[in-house]
Amino acid sequence: MNENCYAVKGNIIYSTTPDNLVLIENGYVVCENGISGGVFENLPEKYRSIQVKDYGDRLVIPGLVDLHMHAPQYGLRGFGMDLELLDWLNTYTFPEEARYAEEAYAKRAYGMFTEELKKSPTTRACIFATIHRDATKILMDLLEDTKLRTMVGKVNMDRNAPEYLCEATEESQEETLRWLKDMEGHYQYTSPILTPRFIPSCTDSLMVKLGEIQKEHHLPVQSHLSENEGEIAWVKELCPSAGFYGEAYEQAGLFGNGCKTVMAHCVSSAEEEIALIRKNGVYVAHCPQSNMNLSSGIAPVRKYLNEGLHVGLGSDLAGGSSMSMFRAMSDAIQVSKLYWRLVDQTASPLTLKEVFYLATRGGGEFFGKVGSFEAGFAFDALVIDDESIWHPQPLGLLERLERVIYLGDSSNIVEKMVEGETI
Ligand code: GUN
Ligand code: FE
């Protein structure tokens, strides 16, 4: 066996389905060339000669996946939460994103964002940049150095934004093509994702052009969908040919169905929209903290799981104030309890197992075979030391995991591996 093959020993925890969490005390997970060789209670004979990294009583879980965040909103964390979405964008977000026209600001702010993401429990993320091609490249360069696996999008917007943050339609198309061309061959870990901001920011003709770019370059797509009632009503006015919001993306060929797509929020999706999300295999990024901060509401995630939709979690930094995916998990549980209590008594709250699945395998699937330790999955792992989360008596593994999710932070992560490599 070569040195790209080793075993991690510790308390191994991973999901196989939303309802099935595997917990193995003092077990082994084998890494072969960045891919999991499987989980074992005792190391099989064929692996007897490989290096064993023994993490003792620590927890070993798959790396967490953030399906939706905005890097340029790092400087907005923790303030400006007195408004709903559309006013928040105009008052706080657009002026902040405009600063990324300046290279020095982009370097400084993206440097801070990247540093925090590197230390966080996140190993993979879908990330919005801004409309600025140069700043987007700065962000991608910084992310590449972290060896995290990220999809990054230069944002497209050609209407309903202040002049300082609005592109002409052709300019948006050309800058996107130039961005794609400039990065060719530059990155190993960082990849482009097409990013129309949302329908209110993109004219029909820009959407058609982005649809053409998607087909030619086979890019994945990220955007926002049915987050806020005012936004949904506005899309009806802006795009009368669409029967519902998601259809406005579908008309441009940017809504799943062979075009890998992740849509943030889906708080107030109509039944037809949910049906199309399912039919086209669109991923839903559930962003509970943002939905609270911007008073957007509560996404019916129980229904989405029952109906077999692809669902993962997003921090939506900085609609969400924290980029911690531990926090996203506990928030997802908490808002689902309010939904059950206050909105729909048939929608049982999300369980710990379910949110763990969403933050690992659910979102991980957007990146391929990611988010589990089953053989054949990418070896993305976190080693967690929960000793600092004091408790007066010994606890079981499930209890310890729950406390890490509710009380843990980056300081509890002692090692972070992506495709077998420590970062
Ligand atoms: N919709 C369009 N842009 C944004 C954004 O930056 N944040 C959130 N939460 N929703 C959006
Ligand atoms: Fe967002």
Side-chain angles (χ1 to χ4, degrees):
M1 290 283 177
N2 61 31
E3 60 191 272
N4 290 327
C5 186
Y6 60 86
V8 164
K9 183 166 189 277
N11 296 306
I12 316 288
I13 304 176
Y14 63 100
S15 291
T16 58
T17 65
D19 299 319
N20 188 40
L21 186 68
V22 181
L23 303 125
I24 299 183
E25 266 180 60
N26 298 312
Y28 299 82
V29 53
V30 169
C31 174
E32 289 181 283
N33 300 312
I35 306 292
S36 173
V39 178
F40 307 96
E41 286 184 23
N42 299 295
L43 212 51
E45 192 55 43
K46 67 169 175 169
Y47 295 126
R48 282 288 153 82
S49 64
I50 67 176
Q51 183 199 357
V52 175
K53 301 183 182 186
D54 189 346
Y55 289 101
D57 192 38
R58 289 165 175 161
L59 306 179
V60 182
I61 69 172
L64 305 184
V65 179
D66 190 338
L67 275 189
H68 183 78
M69 69 194 314
H70 298 259
Q73 294 174 18
Y74 186 79
L76 288 180
R77 287 169 316 141
F79 68 77
M81 311 271 59
D82 49 342
L83 299 172
E84 285 188 49
L85 174 66
L86 300 174
D87 291 333
W88 174 75
L89 289 173
N90 285 314
T91 309
Y92 298 104
T93 318
F94 293 160
E96 177 62 18
E97 290 195 11
R99 298 206 164 97
Y100 289 76
E102 194 203 318
E103 194 171 309
Y105 189 80
K107 280 193 174 142
R108 194 159 74 242
Y110 279 153
M112 293 174 183
F113 163 81
T114 304
E115 199 53 35
E116 185 166 333
L117 188 66
K118 188 178 171 182
K119 291 182 192 148
S120 79
T122 298
T123 46
R124 306 209 180 216
C126 295
I127 304 175
F128 281 55
T130 60
I131 62 168
H132 311 100
R133 185 167 43 79
D134 289 342
T136 304
K137 176 150 190 318
I138 289 169
L139 174 63
M140 293 177 84
D141 288 349
L142 288 162
L143 286 166
E144 180 74 6
D145 288 342
T146 65
K147 297 189 179 173
L148 296 169
R149 302 310 193 257
T150 57
M151 297 187 197
V152 179
K154 176 220 164 306
V155 170
N156 297 100
M157 41 202 300
D158 73 335
R159 68 171 169 191
N160 294 319
E163 208 176 311
Y164 60 74
L165 197 68
C166 200
E167 308 164 288
T169 306
E170 274 73 32
E171 181 191 11
S172 189
Q173 174 194 24
E174 281 160 17
E175 286 290 283
T176 302
L177 288 168
R178 207 170 144 195
W179 166 63
L180 292 169
K181 186 147 183 35
D182 284 355
M183 82 173 71
E184 266 172 24
H186 269 71
Y187 301 110
Q188 194 179 346
Y189 310 118
T190 316
S191 58
I193 181 166
L194 208 55
T195 308
R197 182 174 205 120
F198 68 158
I199 294 297
S201 298
C202 300
T203 59
D204 293 353
S205 64
L206 176 58
M207 292 300 284
V208 169
K209 288 180 189 339
L210 294 178
E212 289 164 5
I213 293 176
Q214 192 283 325
K215 274 194 193 62
E216 196 187 325
H217 293 261
H218 309 289
L219 294 172
V221 174
Q222 61 180 352
S223 194
H224 298 90
L225 181 64
S226 298
E227 175 177 4
N228 165 288
E229 296 291 352
E231 172 207 22
I232 294 168
W234 197 17
V235 170
K236 266 205 167 71
E237 273 172 41
L238 289 168
C239 215
S241 60
F244 51 90
Y245 192 160
E247 209 167 51
Y249 293 105
E250 157 96 346
Q251 284 172 355
L254 298 174
F255 203 65
N257 191 22
C259 157
K260 188 172 258 203
T261 303
V262 57
M263 288 287 163
H265 306 301
C266 305
V267 169
S268 306
S269 290
E271 283 300 334
E272 312 98 280
E273 184 162 286
I274 297 170
L276 192 62
I277 289 171
R278 185 177 50 235
K279 176 164 160 270
N280 287 4
V282 169
Y283 285 72
V284 174
H286 175 43
C287 305
Q289 194 183 157
S290 167
N291 298 158
M292 289 188 276
N293 281 338
L294 297 175
S295 308
S296 302
I298 306 173
V301 175
R302 167 59 63 218
K303 179 181 170 77
Y304 294 166
L305 287 177
N306 286 349
E307 298 198 5
L309 269 52
H310 296 290
V311 187
L313 296 181
S315 65
D316 195 23
L317 185 84
S321 332
S322 160
M323 70 163 71
S324 168
M325 293 306 293
F326 293 146
R327 176 74 192 268
M329 282 192 262
S330 57
D331 283 341
I333 292 175
Q334 289 173 331
V335 300
S336 76
K337 288 178 175 172
L338 293 177
Y339 191 84
W340 170 61
R341 183 63 70 201
L342 301 173
V343 183
D344 178 0
Q345 282 77 45
T346 69
S348 58
L350 298 182
T351 63
L352 185 76
K353 287 178 187 178
E354 286 170 330
V355 298
F356 188 81
Y357 175 89
L358 294 179
T360 55
R361 207 168 165 143
E365 205 186 342
F366 194 72
F367 287 80
K369 281 193 103 174
V370 169
S372 184
F373 289 140
E374 277 182 57
F377 276 69
F379 192 93
D380 296 357
L382 306 176
V383 179
I384 296 171
D385 187 336
D386 58 342
E387 236 177 60
S388 64
I389 310 174
W390 289 355
H391 197 276
Q393 63 181 12
L395 297 172
L397 283 191
L398 189 61
E399 294 163 326
R400 287 172 60 190
L401 177 68
E402 186 169 13
R403 280 165 48 86
V404 168
I405 288 169
Y406 278 83
L407 300 167
D409 57 34
S410 300
S411 69
N412 297 104
I413 299 168
V414 291
E415 186 137 8
K416 187 166 168 177
M417 288 164 262
V418 186
E419 287 181 27
E421 210 181 336
T422 294
I423 66 166

